[in-house]
Amino acid sequence: MPPTQRRPTDDELLDAAMAAFAEHGFANAGMSQIAEDAGSTKPTLYAHFGSKENLFNRVVQRELTRIVTDILPRYDEVGDQGIEESVDTLITVGMNYISANPQARQLIRVSIEASADPMLSQFLAINEIFTAKVAELVERHLETIDAKITSGNPRAIAATIVGSGIALAHHMLVHGDDDFERLARMLSTFLSGGLQALTHRR
């Protein structure tokens, strides 16, 4: 659409950029088209973000923030569920988000393909946030059972859980495997079995 008199907000510019990057990828998304879709101009886009790379980084950063904001509070809902139920809840929450947000799914795939260093640091930061939260849940369970693993290992277990989920998400994005229900059930079974083996009574 043609530029309007009203200046678009940063969020409106980022919305247009997200749609373009998700549909065309980083290399093929044009700044002129993004500006036009946002009802703005190319100079305005550069004035706000400086470069296409910075714009892309801002788009991904905003989406990762949304993921954390949307998913992380759900982790507290597991309450006093057992290990199997907790794992199933956590996996289902993540899978449901991926399933319900195809544009975000495409954006993450594009960022993986771009292999940009700023993106790697952001993903690592997000990984740390989720690992810390899962570690809290694991430690809570270990306090109630006579586990064969030491109390210093909840974070390692959490890293295994989160890492497995990230690896599966990468597989889904890269290979276009969108059978979310089957994949969620597979990961839940895999992790539940592993946790049972690690935490069974002596």
Side-chain angles (χ1 to χ4, degrees):
M1 66 188 215
T4 61
Q5 295 299 315
R6 184 183 70 84
R7 293 182 178 180
T9 65
D10 275 6
D11 269 336
E12 288 171 335
L13 295 173
L14 291 173
D15 286 341
M18 179 173 179
F21 288 131
E23 181 176 356
H24 303 294
F26 175 78
N28 296 322
M31 294 290 274
S32 297
Q33 188 62 52
I34 292 172
E36 182 179 342
D37 291 345
S40 185
T41 64
K42 190 174 176 180
T44 298
L45 206 55
Y46 277 106
H48 278 243
F49 302 103
S51 68
K52 182 178 174 179
E53 289 77 10
N54 288 342
L55 174 60
F56 181 69
N57 291 343
R58 282 283 301 278
V59 169
V60 175
Q61 184 178 48
R62 185 183 66 160
E63 188 56 36
L64 292 177
T65 299
R66 286 176 171 174
I67 291 173
V68 172
T69 302
D70 188 74
I71 294 180
L72 204 61
R74 301 289 304 279
Y75 280 33
D76 293 324
E77 296 177 8
V78 298
D80 297 325
Q81 292 179 348
I83 288 180
E84 289 186 45
E85 294 84 358
S86 296
V87 170
D88 189 62
T89 296
L90 301 184
I91 292 173
T92 299
V93 167
M95 290 293 186
N96 285 346
Y97 186 92
I98 292 174
S99 177
N101 294 274
Q103 197 172 71
R105 187 163 70 245
Q106 279 294 98
L107 181 68
I108 295 172
R109 181 187 61 77
V110 169
S111 68
I112 292 172
E113 293 175 350
S115 299
D117 288 340
M119 294 303 95
L120 177 59
S121 63
Q122 290 184 39
F123 277 119
L124 290 176
I126 296 300
N127 181 75
E128 282 298 301
I129 292 173
F130 281 109
T131 298
K133 174 58 71 172
V134 175
E136 293 176 10
L137 301 175
V138 171
E139 190 159 23
R140 185 189 310 165
H141 286 301
L142 295 183
E143 291 174 353
T144 65
I145 59 177
D146 182 21
K148 71 174 183 179
I149 55 179
T150 67
S151 60
N153 278 331
R155 192 171 185 87
I157 297 174
T160 301
I161 293 171
V162 174
S164 298
I166 290 174
L168 181 58
H170 180 272
H171 161 79
M172 294 163 60
L173 295 167
V174 171
H175 298 285
D177 191 342
D178 58 359
D179 189 346
F180 301 110
E181 183 177 350
R182 176 182 60 82
L183 293 174
R185 189 166 59 250
M186 180 184 70
L187 182 59
S188 178
T189 300
F190 172 74
L191 291 176
S192 295
L195 286 172
Q196 285 180 358
L198 286 171
T199 59
H200 74 271
R201 296 182 181 277
R202 294 187 185 91

